[in-house]
Amino acid sequence: MTGTRWTVAALFLLPALVLLGALVVYPIGYSVIRSFYDQSGDSFAGIDNYRALFTDDGIRTALKNNIIWVVFAPTIATALGLVFAVLTERVRWGTAFKLVVFMPMAISMLAAGIIFRLVYDQDPDKGVANAVWVGVHDTFVQSSAFPKAHPGRQSPLEPARGGGFVTKEPVHTGEAVLLPLVGVAPDQMPDSAKPAVAPQADPGKITGTTWQDFTRGKGVGRLNGVDSAELGYAGMKIEAVKDGKVVATAKAASDGTFTLPASADGALLRLPASNFTAAYNGLDWLGPALVTPSIIGSYIWMWAGFAMVLIAAGLAGIPRDLLEAARVDGANEWQVFRKVTVPLLAPVLAVVVVTLMINVLKIFDLVFIIAPGSSQDDANVLALELYRKGFSEDQPGIASAIAVFLLLLVIPVMWFNIRRLRREVRR
């Protein structure tokens, strides 16, 4: 190139170089220098700020969570993208499916965080995750309809060991037993509950009624007496306990009536604790134990579509004759996928995994928005800790050290990616 061409090239590159220096080189250099100074920025602190990276509890938690993010988020997102890309090749509406899976990429991290903050809401009436989880749970395990029921005034029941309530006196055959309870709002009673019916004595059995001993209105209804406006505790379990052993059980009908055999003579009647267990309210998705996996789930929801699109592009470039040759040789579809498709897609899979690894090292938005204040420390990551140290806790030296540390973590991944791209170019 002549000198004139060098000059023209330099002039064209100068604006880009100025912007690169002002927006990239200078901030990196300044952060490196600032990381060796104390909070005020006047005194040289040496490596104290870097030592804090491995002694501060908050930073160590953030580092641990970043490792979890780097290991699981890219791997799961890439695996899902691979499965989606392969399967959509075999369905008629594959393009529409790809569009739906890729659509979350059009949503900002802020919007996705707000969406999943609602999805993970503890209240099953608001949070989709708990609505589904509670629905599945209640399909197999029936929750009690009377979690707040308890004996009222002058009740024949008293608290039992291990929970529940037991009669104060033994019961005998031919006796009609009344087991009144209060504490359940009328609109919370089961739909199957019907007006309570007073028990009729049976000489060879023990009969009784358990019901909601409460009638609306002042001075209405009789204490410990069955009134027509009161509802029976439909489905309430009653146990006859003699010498610490359950000798008979019964289940209340929709009107609260029940019958026990003669073997219950002389026993105490117990309403076991299972009648009063609180309704299952789902998982605490944003609690300390599950907050990080939950946020990773929202990230995968967003980025699985990105992985799918790149892998689908690589899949389209695979020679079909290789796949057909494997099938002709007797390989089944799983063997073709595992021993032909995946090895041929290895370069594309490497690109996706490396790209997502770099991305998750910088993750900030989702953690900041989704994790509530009570569990944000448990969901902490390095980028969020950098923000907190630099702006909330006014420790710019430590914040700069975290930034430099993040840069050092990204460099090996970038170096691996550049080497791989150079090998691809040589081929």
Side-chain angles (χ1 to χ4, degrees):
M1 293 178 65
T2 63
T4 303
R5 290 186 177 181
W6 275 109
T7 303
V8 172
L11 289 174
F12 275 103
L13 290 173
L14 184 61
L17 292 174
V18 170
L19 288 175
L20 184 66
L23 300 179
V24 178
V25 178
Y26 173 74
I28 291 175
Y30 182 79
S31 296
V32 172
I33 295 172
R34 189 67 183 80
S35 67
F36 291 103
Y37 283 82
D38 62 5
Q39 182 174 340
S40 66
D42 298 327
S43 301
F44 186 74
I47 61 171
D48 289 346
N49 292 327
Y50 289 94
R51 188 181 291 113
L53 298 180
F54 304 98
T55 57
D56 184 275
D57 290 337
I59 299 177
R60 285 194 298 180
T61 300
L63 182 59
K64 179 196 71 175
N65 287 336
N66 263 103
I67 294 172
I68 295 173
W69 272 89
V70 169
V71 171
F72 290 102
T75 305
I76 298 174
T78 304
L80 284 177
L82 175 61
V83 172
F84 291 155
V86 172
L87 293 182
T88 49
E89 278 202 330
R90 300 174 177 271
V91 296
R92 179 177 299 178
W93 300 97
T95 303
F97 182 81
K98 288 179 182 178
L99 180 63
V100 171
V101 175
F102 186 74
M103 195 175 294
M105 283 296 299
I107 303 175
S108 68
M109 288 281 195
L110 173 63
I114 294 172
I115 291 170
F116 274 88
R117 182 69 179 266
L118 295 174
V119 167
Y120 292 132
D121 195 288
Q122 179 68 40
D123 187 353
D125 294 331
K126 298 178 182 178
V128 175
N130 263 342
V132 174
W133 191 264
V134 170
V136 173
H137 174 274
D138 290 349
T139 301
F140 299 98
V141 181
Q142 187 175 5
S143 298
S144 169
F146 321 111
K148 296 183 180 179
H150 60 275
R153 293 178 292 122
Q154 302 175 20
S155 174
L157 295 167
E158 61 183 3
R161 288 183 179 180
F165 306 100
V166 66
T167 54
K168 297 176 182 178
E169 301 294 336
V171 297
H172 301 280
T173 54
E175 184 179 347
V177 184
L178 296 177
L179 302 179
L181 294 168
V182 296
V184 181
D187 59 347
Q188 298 297 318
M189 291 291 287
D191 295 336
S192 59
K194 294 181 179 179
V197 176
Q200 300 296 321
D202 188 325
K205 299 178 181 179
I206 297 171
T207 57
T209 299
T210 177
W211 81 103
Q212 172 77 349
D213 189 23
F214 174 80
T215 305
R216 289 182 180 273
K218 186 176 181 181
V220 178
R222 296 167 294 150
L223 181 65
N224 296 332
V226 179
D227 299 302
S228 59
E230 297 169 347
L231 297 175
Y233 279 124
M236 180 75 76
K237 184 179 180 181
I238 301 96
E239 297 176 342
V241 182
K242 190 184 295 185
D243 297 327
K245 296 181 180 180
V246 177
V247 295
T249 61
K251 197 172 186 180
S254 57
D255 58 6
T257 59
F258 61 90
T259 302
L260 289 165
S263 58
D265 183 62
L268 296 173
L269 298 190
R270 180 173 66 187
L271 303 178
S274 59
N275 290 315
F276 312 103
T277 54
Y280 183 67
N281 203 37
L283 296 175
D284 188 6
W285 296 100
L286 300 181
L290 294 176
V291 63
T292 295
S294 298
I295 300 174
I296 290 176
S298 66
Y299 177 89
I300 292 170
W301 175 77
M302 289 190 67
W303 287 86
F306 166 82
M308 178 196 66
V309 169
L310 290 187
I311 295 170
L315 197 60
I318 293 179
R320 297 305 177 205
D321 54 347
L322 293 178
L323 304 180
E324 293 302 325
R327 294 188 182 101
V328 169
D329 288 341
N332 57 37
E333 291 302 319
W334 169 245
Q335 290 172 327
V336 171
F337 172 76
R338 185 166 57 92
K339 297 186 177 181
V340 180
T341 304
V342 172
L344 291 175
L345 284 175
V348 178
L349 296 176
V351 170
V352 175
V353 170
V354 170
T355 302
L356 294 181
M357 286 177 65
I358 295 173
N359 188 267
V360 299
L361 283 172
K362 304 180 296 180
I363 195 70
F364 166 81
D365 318 60
L366 289 177
V367 180
F368 183 72
I369 297 165
I370 296 177
S374 58
S375 58
Q376 198 171 82
D377 288 342
D378 300 284
N380 200 10
V381 289
L382 288 174
L384 177 59
E385 186 65 14
L386 186 157
Y387 169 81
R388 293 168 69 174
K389 293 294 185 187
F391 297 96
S392 300
E393 301 177 20
D394 192 25
Q395 299 184 46
I398 295 179
S400 298
I402 295 174
V404 175
F405 184 63
L406 272 174
L407 177 63
L408 294 175
L409 291 178
V410 170
I411 286 176
V413 182
M414 293 177 61
W415 176 77
F416 169 80
N417 209 23
I418 292 171
R419 285 194 60 187
R420 189 197 56 76
L421 289 173
R422 286 178 176 173
R423 286 199 302 268
E424 290 296 321
V425 170
R426 292 194 205 103
R427 290 178 185 175

